[in-house]
Amino acid sequence: MRKRLMVPALLAVVLVASVLAAGSQAKTDRSKAPAAPSGTVTLNGWQVSPAEETKLSKVVADFERTHPNIKVNYQSITGDYQAQELAKFAAHKPPDVLYVDVADFVDWAKQGVLQNLDPYVKSSHFSTKPFYKNLLNAFKYRGHYYGFPKDWSSLGMEVNTTLLGNNPVPKTWAQLRSVASRINVPGGKPICLSADWARLMAFVYQAGGTGQWKDATTAPFRAAANFYVGLLKSGLAALPSDLGSSWCGEAFGKQKVAFAFEGNWMFPTMASFPGVKFTTAPMPKGKRHGNLAFTVSYSMAKDSKNKPAAWELLKYLVGRQGMQQWVSLGLALPTRVDVHAVPGRGAFLRYPSSVHGWGAQAGFRHIWNDVANNELTAVIAGKESVNSMLQKIAASAR
Amino acid sequence: MSTEQAQPAVAVDELILETEAAKGTTTGIPGRERGERIRRAIAYVVMFGVALLFAIPFLWSVSTSFRTLADTVGSFSLLPKHWTLSGYREAFHTFNFGKYTLNSFIIAGAVTLSNLFLASLGGYAFARLKFPGREVLFLLVLGTLMIPDQLRLVPIYLMLVNWIPAWVGHLGWHNASFVNREGLILIQLVSATSLFLMRQYFLTIPRDLEEAAKLDGAGYFKTYWKVMLPLAGPALAAVGILMFQGTWNGLFWPAILLQDPNQYTIPIGIAHFRFAYTTLWPPLMAASVLAILPILLLFVVFQRYFVAGVAAAGVKG
Amino acid sequence: MAVAVGKRRQARGLGGERVREALVGYGFIALPMAFFLLFFIFPIGYAFYISRYDWQIFKGPYVGWGNYRALYHDSVFWTHAVRNTLVYAAFVVPLQMALGLTLAVVVNQAIRFRTFFRAAFYFPSLAASAAIAAIATYILASDGLFNTILHHLGYTHTHAWFDQETTALPAIIGLNAWTTSGTIMLFYLAALQAIPTDVYEAAAIDGANAWRTFWKITFPLLKPGHFFVLVVSIIGALQMFDQSFLIGGASGGPNYSTLTVVLYLYNQAIGNIKFGYGAAVGVVLFAFIFTVTVIQRLLFGKAEVA
């Protein structure tokens, strides 16, 4: 008799016990749920304009509202960003989430200071489909994601319509040269060109080049450099410093030139120069279309102490909602197809497949800053030949 | 060692000035007096011209601080086209100028006080006390001037972030952090220039006073504190001005070590007005002008002592 | 008199007194020396340590003197960084010393508004590097105030002074000599106070004119001041970084013309992510400046009375 009761009793006990256990387990599951990371996350970035600063604070505040357990500590870095972040990496005390400029990306990933994001992408089913392929790949290292592009800018050709007069907007290198030679700019020159490979490289792509420093001695590099320097030497173009300006945007705003090659950041800049009638056109075509993508990623540091929460922040910032808010400023372009850019940016987005990331090579910043630009200024000043410059650049890439 | 008593005229070509002693004496010849007056007038004009030249950037900063942003990118004009206080308002509004000023004062003040004490203590020892290895140790002190900040960046950061907190952790102080105002003060407690300066000055003070103190039974520290230090007023003012001004204007270490916006100093605030594609000149200049006022005041007040202080320091150099 | 008393004290002092003095000496310098050891000597030691490795952000393989060997063959370092730094120092030091001395002599007079003049001449030294750099760039722009004035004086200069390789470094030299002259002025002003007045009176009685008095009497008597200022100026000039960084755009351009040794160190460490190599540059610089200073001390000779 007792035996017969024992089994159901036992079963009942087991049943009750498991229900109770399941209940408390569910409770602990809820508190340990991977969907509720918490803690403080440090975010490091730099400011490109006062409006950006305010906007980012807003986006971060929205994130904190929807994720009440996570507190974000945003620090806007003044001074040299690279130096300060490298010091933090060296001390193994980096921020959790940080901006990484595409020019630094490969070098930093190589040093092992960035976190491989693949596991987080997988576990949270984060879709990478909406991102533009070129930009997504710019932040891949050895086939893994080490960051996601937060925004980007590309170059366009700004044209002063008043100075252009009846001339057509040039579409090719040849047209650019011929239209420029027909234009007269009082107190200035037709075109503004910077002594910077961050502009010249776009022309290299237009000449069909690879954009890799190690290929600097190839024909497309030569063609582009000769074209670029040729415009300066022939008097059709001038450097911004010779036009009383610190960059071509300023020269364009001061109406010292009819053409400038700057990016979508020109729109807020031109707000300080009201009354200038201008339009934006796509970059001219060489052998083909070519353009540069200046982009920055949100990445996670390998030594981050709170990776789950960091991922939540990162996900939000490059997610549709966060990014939509961010690009509504109109300062930079969205990196996702499901986020709409502020209208008027068509010229920059006209030939998306021709856009190449500015960077994504090892030693990029060093070669660009320490070698390539110095050699370019030498060539422009007539102190060196184009071929010699290209040889030196290729040599430093090996 | 008063500096305000009239100095004998050391005439440099076009500057011929009357000395106090010469006043009213022999140059009774009217023509000669008038010639000297004319020469003096010309000298003053030249000096005012040079002073203007030196002050131009500061004056231009002041002028810019009263302009609108559009006015700064437009064509050049000496005075603002439209006078406005918007630059100042923006400076105060964008960042917490009051707080930044307070932080700057705290840091500069602490660093200055620390320097005054440690540099004078060390300077006195190097100047007056004999101990083995003194020359080598002093060379070491001079050697610290030859190490650029850029080279010290990483090791100091590692020290403040990792090593020092670890050491004091062993002593019971857990979770210490030095990437803040305290760390910033810690790495500037004494400078070799200050110590060098104090040492040079102490070398020129006559020994008799020390001897007298010794005979009175004063110990070494008492001699230093009660006798030498009061005599070193000028040198102390010199160190005070140099260290306060240097710390007040510093940007390199504050930018790296101050991570909490509540601890930012004025130069960091000013740097915030420089962006990649624009510089907001009016608030930047407004903040710069306001930032210069305290050190200018300090300089004007202490420059009389300052001169006498560095004077003796250079003598034995 | 002081010396004699001192010697007597030594003679009377037994070993105990000497030991006590030494201990007190060590005690007094303990805190400053500990500070210097911790925050200066240790970092240079650390720099030397990491320079012996292929140290990027983190420790790499041991390379012994490899970094130094590479530095020896580094043409950019020698033909640009070192050359520019030496040229810079060779010009800026005498320039700022001459300027500072002139100003000091002027404001040493019993002139009216002396405080005003002292403040005015010290102004450039009061302002922060970044502010001065910004203002200078504006004034020396291709259409800036400076060129406008030159144009009215008949000399047309169409380029920005900081953006042409032939004028960039000279412009920085001029700028820095001008901003540092105020501090030098104060050092010399002080040194001038120490010259006894009888000397001038004697010269005046002998009928020496102003120019002669200055060159034959004042200038030589300033020798101690010269030494102090010279040592400090040279040490500072050889480490110039700020203006190259702020104005030259951190690349040392145009065409390497504003590249200095410390900027090179910085770019190698941060831009090229080679902490070890940058450290090697720093160690070499330190050794050089140290040697120069020791030579200066020997040349100027006099052992100090202590």
Side-chain angles (χ1 to χ4, degrees):
Chain A
M1 195 47 128
R2 261 194 287 185
K3 245 198 200 146
R4 272 237 311 260
L5 277 174
M6 271 236 311
V7 173
L10 218 55
L11 273 172
V13 169
V14 169
L15 208 59
V16 169
S18 49
V19 166
L20 284 174
S24 64
Q25 184 67 11
K27 277 219 199 81
T28 38
D29 264 348
R30 233 175 285 130
S31 59
K32 283 212 196 98
S38 62
T40 312
V41 173
T42 315
L43 171 65
N44 273 185
W46 65 77
Q47 22 153 21
V48 170
S49 76
E52 252 190 30
E53 179 97 10
T54 324
K55 187 55 98 169
L56 186 58
S57 311
K58 270 221 198 80
V59 177
V60 164
D62 281 348
F63 169 80
E64 281 178 322
R65 241 202 318 279
T66 51
H67 297 74
N69 288 329
I70 305 181
K71 169 106 186 30
V72 178
N73 200 356
Y74 171 58
Q75 197 198 348
S76 169
I77 305 287
T78 27
D80 193 323
Y81 184 79
Q82 283 73 21
Q84 291 185 41
E85 294 306 324
L86 285 186
K88 292 178 186 178
F89 290 138
H92 293 286
K93 292 248 165 74
D96 299 291
V97 179
L98 70 157
Y99 286 15
V100 178
D101 193 303
V102 69
D104 299 311
F105 175 72
V106 172
D107 289 326
W108 289 13
K110 237 174 144 193
Q111 294 290 322
V113 295
L114 298 179
Q115 172 67 40
N116 181 351
L117 297 173
D118 282 3
Y120 294 93
V121 172
K122 277 205 197 76
S123 70
S124 58
H125 306 296
F126 180 70
S127 172
T128 61
K129 272 223 208 71
F131 290 95
Y132 291 110
K133 201 80 179 285
N134 305 14
L135 302 175
L136 205 54
N137 289 337
F139 295 108
K140 262 182 152 176
Y141 180 67
R142 300 236 171 104
H144 303 289
Y145 294 113
Y146 280 82
F148 287 98
K150 76 179 187 71
D151 58 28
W152 67 296
S153 302
S154 67
L155 296 172
M157 183 171 65
E158 288 79 34
V159 186
N160 185 314
T161 46
T162 321
L163 292 168
L164 184 68
N166 292 325
N167 294 297
V169 173
K171 292 209 173 63
T172 66
W173 286 15
Q175 284 177 9
L176 176 65
R177 227 202 307 252
S178 72
V179 171
S181 53
R182 287 204 292 270
I183 287 182
N184 178 39
V185 179
K189 287 275 157 69
I191 308 172
C192 181
L193 290 178
S194 311
D196 194 347
W197 273 88
R199 299 290 176 273
L200 172 52
M201 194 64 96
F203 291 86
V204 169
Y205 284 116
Q206 289 160 21
T210 61
Q212 301 278 313
W213 295 125
K214 62 177 167 56
D215 297 329
T217 46
T218 58
F221 272 84
R222 246 198 325 273
N226 280 319
F227 175 69
Y228 200 84
V229 175
L231 286 173
L232 286 161
K233 290 256 165 77
S234 67
L236 287 174
L239 297 175
S241 61
D242 290 333
L243 299 164
S245 309
S246 53
W247 64 296
C248 278
E250 191 185 337
F252 187 79
K254 286 181 173 171
Q255 306 214 60
K256 296 272 173 82
V257 291
F259 297 100
F261 300 98
E262 292 292 333
N264 30 291
W265 52 81
M266 279 296 278
F267 287 102
T269 303
M270 292 309 286
S272 332
F273 298 100
V276 177
K277 290 200 174 57
F278 75 104
T279 178
T280 53
M283 293 287 276
K285 186 178 175 182
K287 269 216 186 103
R288 52 184 75 122
H289 290 285
N291 206 337
L292 300 173
F294 302 102
T295 176
V296 173
S297 75
Y298 278 116
S299 291
M300 195 194 299
K302 187 94 171 285
D303 286 328
S304 162
K305 295 271 163 34
N306 196 349
K307 292 191 188 167
W311 172 246
E312 288 302 310
L313 176 63
L314 207 158
K315 208 170 45 158
Y316 182 84
L317 290 168
V318 298
R320 196 166 68 83
Q321 203 181 345
M323 193 179 293
Q324 184 71 65
Q325 232 191 329
W326 175 245
V327 300
S328 65
L329 266 179
L331 289 165
L333 303 165
T335 55
R336 300 171 63 110
V337 292
D338 54 1
V339 173
H340 301 291
V342 166
R345 306 294 188 262
F348 303 98
L349 295 166
R350 187 74 58 86
Y351 303 103
S353 57
S354 69
V355 177
H356 302 88
W358 169 247
Q361 301 167 42
F364 189 82
R365 183 179 288 278
H366 160 66
I367 296 173
W368 168 39
N369 193 53
D370 300 337
V371 182
N373 275 357
N374 274 310
E375 300 297 334
L376 182 58
T377 50
V379 171
I380 290 174
K383 292 282 175 71
E384 193 179 14
S385 72
V386 165
N387 288 339
S388 167
M389 160 180 75
L390 295 174
Q391 266 162 16
K392 288 203 184 136
I393 293 175
S396 61
R398 242 165 258 128
Chain B
M1 228 180 158
S2 159
T3 54
E4 287 307 287
Q5 69 198 36
Q7 294 298 326
V10 177
V12 180
D13 222 20
E14 63 272 84
L15 298 174
I16 297 173
L17 304 165
E18 293 176 350
T19 64
E20 294 289 279
K23 232 196 236 165
T25 56
T26 64
T27 56
I29 310 155
R32 182 142 166 234
E33 264 182 33
R34 209 188 13 171
E36 288 202 9
R37 263 215 297 271
I38 291 176
R39 249 192 296 203
R40 194 148 37 127
I42 295 176
Y44 273 106
V45 167
V46 170
M47 277 160 46
F48 268 111
V50 174
L52 191 70
L53 224 64
F54 271 63
I56 272 186
F58 179 70
L59 294 173
W60 185 84
S61 302
V62 173
S63 162
T64 306
S65 69
F66 288 110
R67 291 175 203 250
T68 59
L69 183 59
D71 197 358
T72 64
V73 294
S75 53
F76 178 79
S77 60
L78 258 172
L79 293 175
K81 295 200 192 93
H82 305 282
W83 289 78
T84 169
L85 281 175
S86 63
Y88 287 90
R89 260 182 276 132
E90 198 171 336
F92 276 92
H93 173 69
T94 310
F95 67 86
N96 199 336
F97 197 81
K99 190 179 287 191
Y100 288 14
T101 310
L102 185 65
N103 287 329
S104 281
F105 259 116
I106 292 175
I107 294 168
V111 168
T112 305
L113 286 172
S114 168
N115 263 274
L116 289 174
F117 179 59
L118 293 176
S120 60
L121 201 59
Y124 174 63
F126 277 112
R128 281 288 191 262
L129 302 178
K130 280 200 175 45
F131 46 90
R134 193 178 64 177
E135 284 309 306
V136 173
L137 287 173
F138 186 64
L139 261 163
L140 210 73
V141 171
L142 278 186
T144 66
L145 290 173
M146 306 168 191
I147 304 170
D149 279 347
Q150 290 73 20
L151 187 63
R152 295 195 300 145
L153 168 59
V154 172
I156 293 225
Y157 194 79
L158 290 174
M159 260 194 268
L160 292 179
V161 171
N162 293 333
W163 300 331
I164 298 185
W167 298 338
V168 300
H170 290 316
L171 299 172
W173 178 9
H174 297 290
N175 290 328
S177 171
F178 292 98
V179 189
N180 49 27
R181 217 165 38 191
E182 287 70 45
L184 184 59
I185 294 172
L186 181 67
I187 62 170
Q188 300 181 82
L189 288 177
V190 58
S191 94
T193 317
S194 309
L195 200 150
F196 193 5
L197 216 82
M198 295 304 305
R199 173 190 182 261
Q200 301 301 91
Y201 190 79
F202 281 127
L203 285 175
T204 66
I205 297 182
R207 284 180 181 275
D208 327 32
L209 297 149
E210 272 172 281
E211 298 300 314
K214 279 278 147 59
L215 292 171
D216 281 349
Y220 287 104
F221 189 80
K222 223 164 176 202
T223 311
Y224 154 78
W225 190 257
K226 287 260 149 77
V227 179
M228 301 300 276
L229 213 50
L231 290 172
L236 290 173
V239 168
I241 292 184
L242 284 179
M243 291 316 300
F244 192 88
Q245 181 223 308
T247 319
W248 184 267
N249 282 330
L251 181 58
F252 186 76
W253 292 113
I256 295 166
L257 296 178
L258 297 177
Q259 312 206 324
D260 177 1
N262 285 322
Q263 295 195 336
Y264 283 174
T265 56
I266 294 176
I268 297 183
I270 290 178
H272 261 89
F273 288 114
R274 312 205 74 198
F275 299 97
Y277 299 111
T278 45
T279 301
L280 300 179
W281 290 109
L284 191 153
M285 287 306 176
S288 302
V289 166
L290 292 172
I292 254 190
L293 294 179
I295 15 175
L296 186 60
L297 192 64
L298 205 84
F299 172 79
V300 167
V301 166
F302 286 107
Q303 53 92 27
R304 34 192 317 173
Y305 301 105
F306 179 43
V307 167
V310 187
V315 170
K316 290 297 168 119
Chain C
M1 163 71 188
V3 178
V5 170
K7 283 218 169 80
R8 238 188 290 142
R9 173 157 60 143
Q10 276 175 33
R12 207 198 336 240
L14 310 162
E17 180 60 36
R18 291 250 289 274
V19 169
R20 223 166 61 91
E21 183 175 340
L23 286 177
V24 171
Y26 287 134
F28 276 22
I29 65 168
L31 276 175
M33 290 313 296
F35 176 85
F36 291 133
L37 276 164
L38 191 61
F39 292 115
F40 286 91
I41 307 303
F42 175 72
I44 190 81
Y46 177 83
F48 181 69
Y49 173 68
I50 74 171
S51 73
R52 317 262 282 147
Y53 292 82
D54 177 15
W55 196 295
Q56 295 177 26
I57 297 183
F58 304 111
K59 186 173 184 175
Y62 178 73
V63 292
W65 297 111
N67 281 326
Y68 294 94
R69 264 198 297 270
L71 190 59
Y72 184 74
H73 294 289
D74 189 335
S75 65
V76 175
F77 177 68
W78 293 104
T79 47
H80 299 293
V82 170
R83 188 184 157 277
N84 289 339
T85 306
L86 291 176
V87 165
Y88 171 79
F91 280 95
V92 88
V93 169
L95 208 59
Q96 70 192 25
M97 283 174 73
L99 205 53
L101 179 57
T102 310
L103 294 173
V105 167
V106 167
V107 299
N108 192 37
Q109 313 301 314
I111 56 178
R112 278 198 250 168
F113 317 118
R114 179 160 67 175
T115 309
F116 163 76
F117 283 115
R118 286 180 178 179
F121 296 151
Y122 194 62
F123 254 136
S125 303
L126 268 180
S129 275
I132 294 273
I135 295 169
T137 309
Y138 184 83
I139 291 183
L140 292 176
S142 62
D143 60 355
L145 182 60
F146 194 66
N147 276 349
T148 315
I149 293 178
L150 283 181
H151 183 74
H152 282 117
L153 292 177
Y155 172 69
T156 317
H157 185 97
T158 52
H159 297 283
W161 289 77
F162 287 128
D163 277 314
Q164 255 191 311
E165 74 179 271
T166 40
T167 57
L169 193 64
I172 292 181
I173 290 173
L175 176 67
N176 284 356
W178 174 69
T179 51
T180 322
S181 62
T183 317
I184 308 285
M185 168 188 81
L186 290 169
F187 289 149
Y188 271 127
L189 202 46
L192 283 170
Q193 308 306 328
I195 298 176
T197 64
D198 358 21
V199 174
Y200 295 125
E201 283 165 11
I205 290 172
D206 283 351
N209 71 11
W211 194 245
R212 270 264 210 88
T213 312
F214 176 72
W215 278 112
K216 291 262 148 74
I217 298 182
T218 316
F219 194 81
L221 283 175
L222 282 172
K223 197 157 173 215
H226 293 321
F227 177 67
F228 180 71
V229 168
L230 191 67
V231 168
V232 166
S233 291
I234 291 183
I235 292 179
L238 291 172
Q239 295 178 61
M240 196 269 278
F241 172 84
D242 280 4
Q243 286 71 29
S244 286
F245 187 73
L246 293 166
I247 293 171
S251 63
N255 196 15
Y256 305 104
S257 58
T258 61
L259 184 66
T260 59
V261 172
V262 177
L263 182 60
Y264 189 72
L265 183 167
Y266 190 78
N267 283 341
Q268 285 298 324
I270 307 298
N272 207 8
I273 314 194
K274 287 207 172 126
F275 285 8
Y277 193 64
V281 175
V283 169
V284 167
L285 178 69
F286 174 78
F288 179 71
I289 301 180
F290 198 82
T291 312
V292 166
T293 307
V294 167
I295 291 176
Q296 272 182 287
R297 218 171 139 77
L298 292 173
L299 277 181
F300 269 82
K302 44 175 103 169
E304 280 150 316
V305 177

